Amino acid sequence: MKKLGLHATVLLAAPNEARAQAASGSFQGNGTFASGSGIITVGTGTTDIDLAGPPAFPTGEPSGRNSRAWITIAPDWIGRDLFGADDAVQGTLKPVGQIDDAAVTEVISGRTQTARANVELHGYFCGDVRDWAAGKPIFQKIFEPVGKVRAHADAALRKIMGGSRTLVALHLRRGDYGQGQFWVAPSAWYLTWLADVWPQLDQPVLYLATDDAATVADFAAYSPLTAAALGEPLPGCEFFTDHWIMRHAALLATSNSTFSSTAALLNRREGARFVRPDRAIEGLRAYEPWAEKILLA
């Protein structure tokens, strides 16, 4: 698992005009934007988002067919290969200021009607998902893998399922976590939850998505599988197997992390259940991914 650096600038203008100007490198940001008559696009500063960067949070079609859509203007990034993204190339576009994810969310949610144009976007988009939940169908449509990535991911999923097994996935993020809002939930919380649900499941199989191999031993009683058991990863996107398996789990226990949170948001499995760690109860609790914050304090 790793973060993807996505360079982003927020462009707010009329859809067709913005796309044409971005392609020619002639776009000039100038003033404010009325949220009902334009789009938000992203292109030049740095934002770290796990797997899915700012284009993951749209309220309209990315192609510009909707007046409140995301159009991405960015340097080359891995989303082009994973998801067949056709973001416009950055060209000579230069931001004239900065904006954070909270300000963009205010526009998306409709609480604010105007926002500055041609500004550098910073942030993690880890607030309340309900602010952009109207974009759920678009979100889930955009982040579908293509080509050899899809074929490789599907092969891994078939291997772990082995028929009609109940897939239980846990995300245990350790390596780059441990401070502030990026806190680590102990294995004991997940073990307590597993002990309760496991006997109720039909042919369960446990999958661990983790960046710490030592953690696997904590769950030895459940004979867990990891990405290493599912074949060689595709070079450059080694993290994707973990994300894809979590996206198809019948039961998914996330970390307080955008990586597994986005997997939960993209999970379309009928009847799927989700739990998350919560320090307020010192354990895991059920949650609805599209009705809560991405990260808990």
Side-chain angles (χ1 to χ4, degrees):
M1 294 172 290
K2 66 178 182 180
K3 290 184 178 179
L4 307 179
L6 179 62
H7 298 282
T9 294
V10 177
L11 269 177
L12 305 169
N16 293 338
E17 180 184 1
R19 185 174 288 276
Q21 291 180 347
S24 66
S26 63
F27 180 85
Q28 299 294 323
N30 55 3
T32 61
F33 161 76
S35 62
S37 61
I39 58 170
I40 301 174
T41 72
V42 290
T44 69
T46 298
T47 266
D48 274 338
I49 302 290
D50 282 298
L51 189 67
F57 305 96
T59 56
E61 290 284 354
S63 64
R65 290 189 295 273
N66 184 294
S67 65
R68 295 184 65 188
W70 288 97
I71 292 178
T72 305
I73 297 177
D76 195 22
W77 69 293
I78 199 170
R80 300 180 191 276
D81 301 305
L82 292 179
F83 312 116
D86 60 351
D87 314 291
V89 178
Q90 176 184 333
T92 59
L93 183 70
K94 301 295 182 183
V96 295
Q98 294 185 351
I99 192 171
D100 62 19
D101 54 353
V104 173
T105 299
E106 287 294 300
V107 177
I108 294 173
S109 66
R111 290 190 294 267
T112 298
Q113 295 303 309
T114 61
R116 295 176 60 196
N118 195 22
V119 287
E120 186 176 86
L121 172 63
H122 289 266
Y124 291 89
F125 285 89
C126 293
D128 197 324
V129 179
R130 286 172 292 189
D131 285 335
W132 43 272
K136 178 179 179 179
I138 309 301
F139 181 99
Q140 294 182 331
K141 178 181 178 181
I142 291 173
F143 293 99
E144 282 293 319
V146 298
K148 65 172 62 176
V149 176
R150 179 59 179 260
H152 186 275
D154 281 345
L157 185 62
R158 287 193 298 270
K159 189 170 183 178
I160 194 173
M161 292 301 293
S164 58
R165 306 186 72 178
T166 302
L167 176 57
V168 182
L170 274 58
H171 181 217
L172 305 167
R173 186 164 179 170
R174 298 288 188 269
D176 59 348
Y177 253 42
Q179 297 182 355
Q181 66 177 332
F182 307 112
W183 48 270
V184 171
S187 295
W189 294 3
Y190 296 86
L191 288 166
T192 297
W193 174 74
L194 277 174
D196 182 49
V197 302
W198 198 261
Q200 307 170 31
L201 304 177
D202 180 26
Q203 300 185 68
V205 56
L206 181 63
Y207 182 86
L208 298 185
T210 183
D211 54 359
D212 181 7
T215 303
V216 178
D218 296 343
F219 299 86
Y222 298 94
S223 302
L225 296 176
T226 66
L230 303 182
E232 289 295 320
L234 292 177
C237 54
E238 291 82 1
F239 60 89
F240 194 72
T241 298
D242 279 346
H243 202 264
W244 189 245
I245 298 301
M246 289 192 289
R247 285 174 61 165
H248 291 82
L251 288 84
L252 172 58
T254 68
S255 282
N256 195 49
S257 161
T258 55
F259 189 76
S260 49
S261 292
T262 55
L265 292 170
L266 290 166
N267 188 315
R268 303 191 199 188
R269 183 163 182 159
E270 185 175 357
R273 291 184 281 164
F274 308 92
V275 295
R276 71 186 307 174
D278 189 335
R279 290 197 289 191
I281 63 169
E282 297 186 344
L284 302 187
R285 64 167 175 81
Y287 88 109
E288 167 50 52
W290 285 93
E292 293 198 19
K293 291 182 177 180
I294 293 290
L295 298 185
L296 297 179

